[in-house]
Amino acid sequence: MSQDSTGVDLETSLGYLLKEASSALRAAMEEALRPFGMNVTRYACLELLAQRPGLSNSELARGAFVTRQSMNVLLQALEREGYVTRPAEAPVGKILPTRLTPLGRQSLEKATAAVRSVEVRMLAGMTGPEQSEAFRLLQSMIRSLRDTA
Amino acid sequence: MSQDSTGVDLETSLGYLLKEASSALRAAMEEALRPFGMNVTRYACLELLAQRPGLSNSELARGAFVTRQSMNVLLQALEREGYVTRPAEAPVGKILPTRLTPLGRQSLEKATAAVRSVEVRMLAGMTGPEQSEAFRLLQSMIRSLRDTA
DNA sequence: GAGCTTATGTCAGAATGCTGACATGAGTCA
DNA sequence: TGACTCATGTCAGCATTCTGACATAAGCTC
């Protein structure tokens, strides 16, 4: 009996375990990215831009799971440091499409190997079907949380 | 072909999906806890103390997945507001065992129902065996990330 | 006991992310 | 056209969490 009637047993809670896994992944990612002077959000932003050039600030924010205000601060820094470019004026509406510079692309490529090795490490010990199942189950959780919101 | 040889395809990355799930859970939790003037870390701290009274600052930090410095800031606030108590002097070593006050316990109980409903919502659509499998797979990821660190 | 390593509590400063607010542009609809 | 709604970019202020640093206590080894 590790649990009274009113509490949430942390030892058996999937939510708690999900947070633990995310925390472990984040720590491993930050550690892997630190030698490149990068953090997780910064890397996510660059990776998103590599795969879908021209994303707006708000789209990048949604993709990196931060608010558009936070992403705006980050983009201003990246722009100042020469990793990305944005047009001075919006070609349409207020959206400023962002693109990687050669410097940004180069910086991303250095970090990518480190990030990939973290993911490989995380999945070591899981079979292909198990990885597919994990993918499916996580998608189910996300959908349930969003739909009923 | 959505993927060149150097990148990490975010659409199929389990790491990215794990971050997405964690982000969705966190958002749902923060929203559920806001009416009670609480956030996730604060709730985790109180819940840990309810289940294992007398935990030290460092142990609470590990349980809530923040640094001990962050937990120290939080504990000082909780103590000031009367939710927890710590002895003025360490009974042994430097460890200050923390305990919930009646006010802290009462505050926790109010929040618990909200938190539990979020977890139930997240698991809607998953069978019992699927939940067990998700638990097992997340544990595997955590172990792999930690062991090879 | 002396020395080493590890863990703890704490302070200070910096980085990061959030909420609130505002102005502006696009789309919809009557 | 005008009114309404929604999404966007941005500024400001605040909250949260982090890294770095220090002193101290426990445990272990010699």
Side-chain angles (χ1 to χ4, degrees):
Chain A
M1 184 131 87
S2 65
Q3 175 61 19
D4 66 53
S5 66
T6 58
V8 172
D9 188 356
L10 298 179
E11 299 302 313
T12 63
S13 159
L14 249 178
Y16 186 72
L17 195 67
L18 176 56
K19 181 166 180 180
E20 180 167 3
S22 170
S23 168
L25 174 60
R26 180 174 196 92
M29 290 270 291
E30 297 285 359
E31 188 181 356
L33 288 170
R34 188 161 309 148
F36 305 99
M38 242 187 248
N39 63 25
V40 172
T41 307
R42 213 176 166 96
Y43 168 78
C45 178
L46 296 181
E47 186 67 59
L48 283 162
L49 286 173
Q51 292 181 27
R52 284 139 68 190
L55 283 185
S56 71
N57 175 44
S58 288
E59 289 167 325
L60 287 168
R62 283 190 289 270
F65 312 115
V66 296
T67 63
R68 66 188 197 279
Q69 292 92 327
S70 296
M71 182 55 72
N72 190 35
V73 171
L74 174 56
L75 275 185
Q76 287 173 353
L78 288 173
E79 193 173 15
R80 192 180 335 115
E81 296 164 19
Y83 294 103
V84 306
T85 53
R86 285 193 290 182
E89 291 191 3
V92 52
K94 302 185 65 176
I95 286 114
L96 296 174
T98 309
R99 293 180 178 276
L100 288 181
T101 63
L103 177 64
R105 197 172 307 275
Q106 174 187 337
S107 172
L108 172 61
E109 276 169 20
K110 284 186 198 162
T112 295
V115 168
R116 201 208 302 267
S117 83
V118 170
E119 178 141 359
V120 167
R121 200 171 87 202
M122 182 176 80
L123 300 180
M126 289 173 62
T127 67
E130 281 175 332
Q131 294 179 25
S132 300
E133 182 69 358
F135 201 91
R136 193 180 69 80
L137 294 172
L138 283 173
Q139 278 183 319
S140 168
M141 295 187 212
I142 294 168
R143 189 164 0 97
S144 295
L145 285 170
R146 296 242 170 90
D147 287 358
T148 332
Chain B
M1 184 112 90
S2 65
Q3 175 60 15
D4 66 52
S5 64
T6 58
V8 173
D9 188 355
L10 298 179
E11 299 303 313
T12 62
S13 160
L14 249 180
Y16 186 72
L17 195 67
L18 177 55
K19 181 166 180 180
E20 181 167 3
S22 169
S23 169
L25 175 60
R26 179 176 195 91
M29 289 272 290
E30 298 286 0
E31 188 181 356
L33 289 171
R34 188 162 308 148
F36 305 98
M38 243 188 248
N39 63 25
V40 172
T41 307
R42 212 175 166 96
Y43 168 78
C45 179
L46 295 182
E47 186 67 58
L48 283 162
L49 286 173
Q51 292 182 27
R52 284 138 68 189
L55 283 185
S56 71
N57 174 44
S58 288
E59 289 167 323
L60 286 168
R62 283 190 290 269
F65 312 116
V66 296
T67 63
R68 68 188 196 278
Q69 292 92 328
S70 297
M71 182 54 71
N72 190 36
V73 171
L74 174 57
L75 274 186
Q76 286 174 354
L78 287 174
E79 193 172 14
R80 191 181 334 115
E81 296 164 19
Y83 295 103
V84 306
T85 52
R86 286 193 290 182
E89 289 191 3
V92 51
K94 302 184 66 176
I95 287 113
L96 297 174
T98 309
R99 295 181 177 276
L100 288 181
T101 63
L103 178 63
R105 198 172 307 274
Q106 175 186 337
S107 173
L108 172 61
E109 276 169 19
K110 285 186 196 161
T112 295
V115 167
R116 204 208 300 265
S117 83
V118 170
E119 178 141 359
V120 167
R121 201 170 87 202
M122 182 176 80
L123 300 179
M126 289 172 62
T127 66
E130 282 177 331
Q131 294 179 25
S132 300
E133 181 70 358
F135 201 90
R136 194 181 68 80
L137 293 171
L138 284 173
Q139 278 183 319
S140 168
M141 295 187 213
I142 294 167
R143 190 163 0 96
S144 295
L145 284 170
R146 297 241 170 90
D147 287 358
T148 333

